Amino acid sequence: MRPGRFLSELQRRHVLRVLGGYAVAAWLLVESYTTIQPMLWDGAEWTHRFVVILALLGVPVTFALAWVFDITPHGVRRTSDLDAERQAGIDAAPAGGMLRPRYAISRKATGFFGLGILVALVSFAAYAGYYHEPPGGASRDPDAPIESIAVLPFVDMSSARDQEFFSDGITEELLNRLAQVPDLHVAARTSSFAFKGRHDDVREIGRLLGVQAIVEGSVRREGDVVRVSTKLVDVATGYQIWGDSFDGGATDVFALQDQIAGAIVDALRQRFVSVPEAGRRGTTNARAHELYLLGLRRWNQRTDRDLRQALVYFEEATELDPQFALAWAGLAQTYAVLPVYGAFPVDTAVMRGSAAVAQALAHDASLAEAYAAMGQIVQNFDWDLDGAESYYKRALNYQPGDATAHQWYAETLALMGRYAEAERHSARVLATDPLSPTALYLDAFLRTIRGRAGEGLARWRDLARLHPDYEFGVLHFAYAAVAAGQPADMAAAMERLSTLRPARRELYQVVAATVLSPAGAPAARTVLARHAAELEPSERAAWHLVLGEADRALEVLAEAVASRDDVNLPYLLVHPLLAPLRSDERFHEIIAQTDLVVGG
């Protein structure tokens, strides 16, 4: 279309007049909103910008409507239709019978720029409602107390990237302090550190961890000065609640960590019913503290290799500071689980683990981690479930939010047949540490032994997806899949085990093939016999049963219960995989030698 013709069309279609009217109305809308909004609700500056943007977006909408349509006494018509009606003489009607052209133009302008503003307002209302809607429900009252929080790993922003131990130390100090608040739910270290090095949106992190607020920060060192910037973010809105920066000397890292932790707790104090003061329960030796954090990181991985490295770190920390109670407790907890995840001598674990507990409690008699470690030692190595329960209760009395103590206590309760109590503690663990492999394992295990096979398998799949290298979880995934008659899940688990344990690849492949086609059982039994010496009795008994050797499975179980050297045996004895043996008197004789309760 030629420029002259286009301008003529703009005039004929009254577009320019409509846009002029829209501009006046939009200006009034923006001015009214920015004036009235502060008196009505506690909005933010972004809403002002958003109203202006929406007003501008209404321009093309109004232009398009004015170009295509017209408002007449007969309703909304396309402009081309109006030309035809004028040719037919409609516009020549008496003034008293119809709207005059000039009034029609006025109606048109008012209608279309009003419609444009209406579109803008509806869009704004929808967006504002969505923007303020937190995950899972309505926006939280900004004046309401914060009842749940996560501390994300502080980021090392130093040019040399050599302050990771210090940034992790700040995170650890905050977790320790906040975990002592009775009515505050604090996401555990395992789940918080799962986001290390990631840049997830705080809303998504809040949804995954089930918390209302997140603490995050950064560390930057320049010469001998360390600057720490931190902020507290409301998950519901994404807004910063509080923020501050701290400077300190690089040689006085513990004083700076204390200062930061204290400032954040003070900022939260007014939002809690009660936030008690919490002192350091660690060390003043920087290197010992760094080693302790390295040990915790490895301990949380729960693999044989990581646990052995954790021992090294914790031992070095106690050598540098023999009064470092938390390092002694970390050492005890590592010995308590090492035989579960690898071929570590049980007698050595009991002796060294118990000695480490004694050292930890000698320096801090109220250290929950030490009591939890002793409970795990008594549970795993003595099979004394009542004794383990008393230690876990003491640990939780000193630190009610200790996720590890809740988890181990839930395991003991499950082995005692107190399933409802076990599930309550398991739920507490998941609420505190939802991304922990051991927490997910516990949840899946409880559902499995209670006969909820479908729910259990769904949890086992989640565990395998989130933590594919967690061998203990993959093995129990295979057990659960066989018990539930799900060969596809079993094959997937066995294939993963073959990757994690390449020395046993042949065994896992033939066992999986036999489950799919029982005709291969004789050859599989030969392979099992060849690998028997490298398997724990519980796993060997499981594969004997799967390959159709029930009598041999019972023999292995009886020998294992008599020696009590296999810490994983109780978890298999209560497992539905052994359901075919429960009608055999020999199985009941085996169970009678333990405190276990079988059946869910």
Side-chain angles (χ1 to χ4, degrees):
M1 183 180 294
R2 295 192 305 272
R5 177 68 184 276
F6 179 72
L7 292 175
S8 177
E9 281 296 295
L10 288 178
Q11 292 176 349
R12 185 179 70 84
R13 296 170 185 263
H14 315 300
V15 173
L16 297 178
R17 292 188 183 184
V18 172
L19 290 177
Y22 176 83
V24 173
W27 179 81
L28 290 173
L29 169 67
V30 172
E31 285 296 305
S32 299
Y33 178 80
T34 55
T35 301
I36 297 174
Q37 175 268 319
M39 296 185 290
L40 297 179
W41 64 292
D42 215 5
E45 289 298 325
W46 70 267
T47 61
H48 298 174
R49 293 193 296 271
F50 198 79
V51 168
V52 174
I53 291 171
L54 283 177
L56 293 175
L57 290 176
V59 172
V61 175
T62 304
F63 181 96
L65 291 172
W67 180 273
V68 177
F69 297 103
D70 206 343
I71 298 177
T72 78
H74 303 287
V76 178
R77 300 289 187 88
R78 293 183 64 88
T79 302
S80 58
D81 293 338
L82 287 174
D83 291 342
E85 288 177 357
R86 289 192 183 99
Q87 292 174 8
I90 294 179
D91 284 345
M98 294 186 183
L99 292 173
R100 293 171 181 168
R102 177 180 261 170
Y103 185 59
I105 294 171
S106 177
R107 284 276 307 266
K108 175 176 180 178
T110 304
F112 285 144
F113 71 65
L115 182 59
I117 292 175
L118 179 62
V119 170
L121 284 174
V122 171
S123 300
F124 171 73
Y127 180 84
Y130 169 79
Y131 188 90
H132 287 287
E133 184 76 9
S139 178
R140 186 178 62 83
D141 181 355
D143 295 324
I146 295 175
E147 299 174 345
S148 55
I149 195 170
V151 183
L152 298 186
F154 278 47
V155 180
D156 178 15
M157 299 295 291
S158 302
S159 56
R161 294 294 190 270
D162 59 351
Q163 298 300 304
E164 183 177 15
F165 81 95
F166 177 69
S167 58
D168 286 353
I170 294 175
T171 310
E172 191 69 34
E173 182 67 19
L174 282 171
L175 286 170
N176 288 338
R177 290 199 178 198
L178 294 174
Q180 298 175 49
V181 181
D183 297 322
L184 179 64
H185 163 69
V186 183
R189 185 184 193 277
T190 309
S191 292
S192 292
F193 272 74
F195 295 95
K196 186 170 184 175
R198 293 165 54 175
H199 303 284
D200 301 60
D201 182 78
V202 291
R203 292 186 174 201
E204 180 64 12
I205 296 175
R207 184 186 67 81
L208 290 173
L209 300 183
V211 296
Q212 296 171 316
I214 287 175
V215 177
E216 57 184 2
S218 63
V219 175
R220 187 183 302 275
R221 177 174 178 174
E222 299 297 340
D224 293 331
V225 177
V226 176
R227 163 159 289 193
V228 178
S229 299
T230 185
K231 61 182 178 180
L232 179 68
V233 181
D234 189 328
V235 168
T237 63
Y239 296 153
Q240 179 176 312
I241 301 173
W242 168 87
D244 207 344
S245 295
F246 306 88
D247 293 332
T251 58
D252 196 14
V253 294
F254 294 113
L256 188 55
Q257 286 177 0
D258 282 340
Q259 179 189 2
I260 295 167
I264 292 176
V265 170
D266 286 342
L268 297 174
R269 189 180 304 278
Q270 57 185 323
R271 291 177 172 267
F272 299 146
V273 175
S274 174
V275 179
E277 293 292 341
R280 280 200 75 82
R281 308 173 75 183
T283 178
T284 57
N285 186 300
R287 177 57 180 166
H289 186 58
E290 179 184 3
L291 289 166
Y292 171 71
L293 295 176
L294 291 171
L296 276 183
R297 184 182 305 173
R298 290 300 189 97
W299 185 79
N300 280 307
Q301 297 303 312
R302 294 296 209 283
T303 68
D304 180 62
R305 179 179 178 181
D306 285 306
L307 289 170
R308 290 176 186 270
Q309 186 58 53
L311 282 182
V312 175
Y313 289 137
F314 289 137
E315 286 173 349
E316 290 183 8
T318 58
E319 290 171 2
L320 290 173
D321 184 355
Q323 297 183 343
F324 192 178
L326 282 171
W328 284 112
L331 198 60
Q333 290 190 334
T334 306
Y335 280 121
V337 298
L338 247 177
V340 176
Y341 295 98
F344 194 89
V346 170
D347 291 342
T348 302
V350 172
M351 179 181 64
R352 295 180 180 176
S354 300
V357 168
Q359 286 284 351
L361 294 178
H363 300 299
D364 188 344
S366 63
L367 194 59
E369 290 89 339
Y371 289 110
M374 198 64 214
Q376 185 75 169
I377 291 171
V378 169
Q379 172 186 325
N380 283 344
F381 309 135
D382 294 340
W383 294 11
D384 179 2
L385 302 182
D386 290 331
E389 180 179 17
S390 67
Y391 283 115
Y392 295 142
K393 284 183 174 180
R394 189 172 301 182
L396 292 173
N397 179 59
Y398 285 119
Q399 190 164 319
D402 189 336
T404 299
H406 279 289
Q407 177 195 320
W408 287 345
Y409 190 16
E411 292 174 1
T412 293
L413 292 169
L415 296 176
M416 298 169 77
R418 292 157 60 183
Y419 302 114
E421 293 177 73
E423 287 181 343
R424 285 197 294 272
H425 285 276
S426 175
R428 179 72 180 267
V429 176
L430 282 174
T432 303
D433 207 359
L435 302 181
S436 164
T438 54
L440 293 170
Y441 163 82
L442 174 61
D443 183 46
F445 180 74
L446 285 173
R447 294 173 190 273
T448 299
I449 65 173
R450 296 216 63 181
R452 303 202 293 267
E455 296 177 14
L457 282 174
R459 298 302 188 276
W460 290 119
R461 294 187 196 107
D462 289 342
L463 176 59
R465 175 176 53 83
L466 293 171
H467 301 283
D469 295 336
Y470 183 46
E471 293 183 28
F472 194 61
V474 176
L475 177 63
H476 273 262
F477 182 17
Y479 290 166
V482 174
Q486 296 295 325
D489 283 324
M490 181 276 305
M494 297 296 272
E495 179 61 30
R496 186 59 191 160
L497 276 176
S498 299
T499 302
L500 296 173
R501 300 172 175 178
R504 303 179 192 176
R505 182 184 301 275
E506 178 190 25
L507 171 63
Y508 294 138
Q509 288 178 342
V510 297
V511 170
T514 302
V515 172
L516 297 172
S517 177
R525 292 167 189 159
T526 301
V527 175
L528 176 58
R530 190 158 59 243
H531 287 272
E534 63 195 59
L535 298 174
E536 293 293 328
S538 55
E539 185 177 353
R540 190 163 76 248
W543 300 140
H544 278 303
L545 182 61
V546 170
L547 296 178
E549 298 180 298
D551 289 339
R552 183 60 184 139
L554 284 166
E555 292 173 7
V556 173
L557 292 175
E559 294 170 1
V561 167
S563 66
R564 300 201 174 195
D565 287 336
D566 184 359
V567 297
N568 292 317
L569 185 60
Y571 302 97
L572 179 67
L573 290 173
V574 301
H575 200 285
L577 179 66
L578 300 191
L581 301 179
R582 292 179 182 174
S583 60
D584 194 306
E585 184 61 31
R586 290 172 293 177
F587 181 75
H588 291 284
E589 292 174 358
I590 291 172
I591 296 299
Q593 300 177 53
T594 71
D595 294 333
L596 303 176
V597 175
V598 177

